Amino acid sequence: MDIFTQKKTLVRTVAALAIMNVVTLSVLLWREFAPKDTTPRTKDGRDVSAILKQELQLTDEQVAHIQTLRDNFFKQEKILANTIRSKRDSMNLEMFNKNTDENRVKALAAAVADNEYAMELLRFEQSKSFKAICTPEQLEKFGDLVKEIKQYFKPEKKTPK
């Protein structure tokens, strides 16, 4: 093979590898930063609101209200969860710092507790809004369904090996 053929082959190989790298990086970045579907789903991938619609015989209007309610709840819950995580991280750093400031640790612990309390109030407000959307008959059925849903979403205990 002469030098010019070798050079052409080398250039083409480098170009093909560069294109493959760009494509691979693009796919990885797309997976990382693409908007994710945050709709809560059951273990088998079904949307919980679809289950509620079927079991409670909800109207399309009720389903829309409930979906909006749930979307708003999960957005607010995520903000609170991130705040709690951030405060806990700061508290851990401060607790294991060489010169621990007890007042700062106590203030961070209080902030975590306040945000946990806000999270519980958020859940309570969601339940009140849900009750306002449903009829008394649907609420009665939902009371029984809550127990089943709780069992269904309960984490499975892993057996030690």
Side-chain angles (χ1 to χ4, degrees), residues 17-153:
L17 289 173
I19 290 171
M20 286 176 28
N21 282 337
V22 169
V23 169
T24 302
L25 286 173
S26 298
V27 168
L28 291 174
L29 288 173
W30 177 74
R31 283 186 179 175
E32 183 68 28
F33 296 110
K36 294 172 180 60
D37 180 19
T38 57
T39 305
R41 301 194 180 274
T42 61
K43 291 178 186 174
D44 59 358
R46 292 182 297 164
D47 182 6
V48 174
S49 30
I51 295 170
L52 291 177
K53 180 179 181 176
Q54 178 185 352
E55 295 295 324
L56 301 179
Q57 287 88 36
L58 298 173
T59 65
D60 290 337
E61 186 178 316
Q62 285 176 314
V63 171
H65 285 308
I66 290 171
Q67 191 61 46
T68 302
L69 175 69
R70 294 183 77 227
D71 289 344
N72 291 336
F73 170 78
F74 287 114
K75 286 176 188 172
Q76 292 173 334
E77 182 185 47
K78 185 174 182 172
I79 292 169
L80 280 172
N82 289 339
T83 302
I84 291 168
R85 188 176 309 110
S86 171
K87 298 289 183 190
R88 281 192 176 138
D89 289 346
S90 298
M91 191 169 80
N92 285 333
L93 288 174
E94 188 62 40
M95 284 189 301
F96 296 106
N97 192 353
K98 190 173 184 178
N99 301 317
T100 303
D101 180 359
E102 283 190 41
N103 291 330
R104 178 158 164 69
V105 171
K106 289 178 182 178
L108 288 167
V112 169
D114 290 343
N115 284 306
E116 289 283 356
Y117 178 71
M119 183 83 77
E120 295 306 317
L121 288 179
L122 184 63
R123 287 185 179 108
F124 176 63
E125 290 299 321
Q126 180 193 28
S127 70
K128 284 189 343 186
S129 299
F130 182 80
K131 286 179 183 179
I133 294 170
C134 295
T135 65
E137 296 83 22
Q138 290 170 331
L139 286 175
E140 189 175 320
K141 285 182 187 177
F142 184 69
D144 298 330
L145 192 60
V146 166
K147 295 172 189 166
E148 290 179 38
I149 291 173
K150 184 178 176 185
Q151 278 298 107
Y152 191 77
F153 282 111

